[in-house]
Amino acid sequence: MTSSEPRERRVRPTGLLAAAPWLFAVLLLAGWAFTVLLAAPPPYMLPSPLAVLDRLVTAFFSPRFWSAVQETFTEAVGGSALGAAVALPLSIGIHRSRLLNAAVAPFLGATQAIPAIAVAPLLAIWVGYGLGPIVLLCALMVFFPILISSVVGLRHIDHHVVDAARMDGADSFALLRHIELPLALPNILAGLRNGFALSVTGAVVGEMVMGGSGLGQLLTAQRDSVDTAGMFATILVLCAMASGLYGLIHLVERRSHTVASLLP
C-alpha cells in the first residue's frame, strides 16, 4: 500500500460529508417538486418551489424586506447577548456555591417549561411593546440552554487538574480564568450555539404577539392574506438566519479547538 492511498481514504469521506447537506437539500426540493407536479394541490396549500423562489427574488429587491430582516436579526442577537450575560455568571455561581445551586436548581426547569407564546402577553403588559420586550423574550428563551450547558461544562472538569492548580497557588479568580473557563469552553459554546438559533424563534413569536416590523410581523401579514408562497419564502429566510447564527458560533468553537490543540 502506498502512502497516497491512506491520504485518499481520508480525503474522500471529508468531501462526501461536505456534500451531504447539499445532496439532502436537492432530494428535498425534488420530492417537493414531484409532490406538486403529481398531486397538483391548490397553490394556497402547497406552492411550487419555483413560486417560492419567485417570491424570494422579489423580496430581495424590496427595502421593506431587508428592514424586516434587520429588525428580527437585531432582536435575536440582542436577546442572545442579554441571555448569555445573565446565564454565564449564574452558571459560575451555581458551580461555585452549593447554597445557590440548591436554591436555584429546582426552578431552572420551570423556565424552560413555560412556552414563549404564554410569556409574550405578560411581557407586553409589564414592559410594553416594541424592541425591548421582544429582546427580553428572546433572552428568556436562550437563557436555559446556555445556563445548563455552561454548568455541565464546569462540573465535568477533571478535578485532578483543578487540585494541581490549587497546589501551585492559583486563587479562585486565576483558577476560573486559566483552568475552569478554558476547559468548559466547548460546552459553553455549544450552549451559545443552541441559544442563538433559538433566539430567532423567540423574535418571531414576540413579533406575532407584541407587534413589530420584523419577519414575524411579515409572516403574520402573509398568513392573513393566505400568501402561502410568501410564507414559505419568509420561513426559508428565518431558517437561513438561524442556521447562520448557529454556524457562526460553531466556527468560533472549531477555532477555539484549533487554538487549544496548538497550545503546549
Side-chain angles (χ1 to χ4, degrees):
M1 180 181 293
T2 64
S3 60
S4 62
E5 291 176 355
R7 186 176 303 173
E8 290 177 357
R9 289 183 179 180
R10 289 193 297 267
V11 171
R12 286 175 183 173
T14 303
L16 181 60
L17 290 175
W22 300 102
L23 294 174
F24 184 65
V26 170
L27 288 175
L28 287 178
L29 285 174
W32 180 6
F34 275 113
T35 300
V36 172
L37 181 64
L38 298 177
Y44 69 86
M45 291 189 63
L46 183 64
S48 68
L50 289 178
V52 176
L53 178 62
D54 179 70
R55 292 305 307 272
L56 277 173
V57 172
T58 302
F60 277 14
F61 290 97
S62 170
R64 167 71 182 85
F65 172 77
W66 288 111
S67 176
V69 171
Q70 181 181 1
E71 180 79 9
T72 301
F73 183 81
T74 301
E75 294 162 353
V77 174
S80 297
L82 179 59
V86 177
L88 293 177
L90 182 58
S91 67
I92 296 172
I94 291 174
H95 170 64
R96 289 289 183 87
S97 172
R98 292 184 178 180
L99 179 61
L100 181 61
N101 179 41
V104 174
F107 301 98
L108 293 179
T111 63
Q112 186 71 3
I114 302 174
I117 198 168
V119 179
L122 291 175
L123 292 178
I125 295 173
W126 294 338
V127 186
Y129 295 88
L131 180 65
I134 298 177
V135 169
L136 186 56
L137 179 64
C138 293
L140 291 174
M141 290 196 66
V142 307
F143 168 80
F144 185 80
I146 295 175
L147 177 67
I148 294 301
S149 294
S150 302
V151 170
V152 170
L154 289 168
R155 285 180 176 174
H156 284 77
I157 296 173
D158 189 348
H159 67 88
H160 294 100
V161 177
V162 176
D163 293 340
R166 285 173 176 166
M167 291 180 63
D168 288 340
D171 58 16
S172 179
F173 178 75
L175 187 65
L176 178 67
R177 178 182 179 184
H178 298 290
I179 302 296
E180 293 180 322
L181 285 181
L183 291 178
L185 187 60
N187 289 78
I188 295 173
L189 290 175
L192 290 172
R193 189 178 356 128
N194 294 329
F196 269 66
L198 280 174
S199 65
V200 176
T201 303
V204 172
V205 171
E207 291 170 1
M208 285 183 165
V209 177
M210 294 181 281
S213 57
L215 293 175
Q217 191 65 22
L218 177 62
L219 198 61
T220 301
Q222 292 167 339
R223 178 200 63 192
D224 294 340
S225 61
V226 200
D227 182 8
T228 310
M231 293 177 67
F232 268 76
T234 303
I235 291 171
L236 287 176
V237 173
L238 289 169
C239 291
M241 184 183 298
S243 298
L245 292 172
Y246 185 94
L248 179 63
I249 303 298
H250 184 60
L251 179 62
V252 173
E253 186 177 356
R254 292 181 61 183
R255 291 288 179 88
S256 68
H257 289 167
T258 303
V259 172
S261 66
L262 296 177
L263 294 177

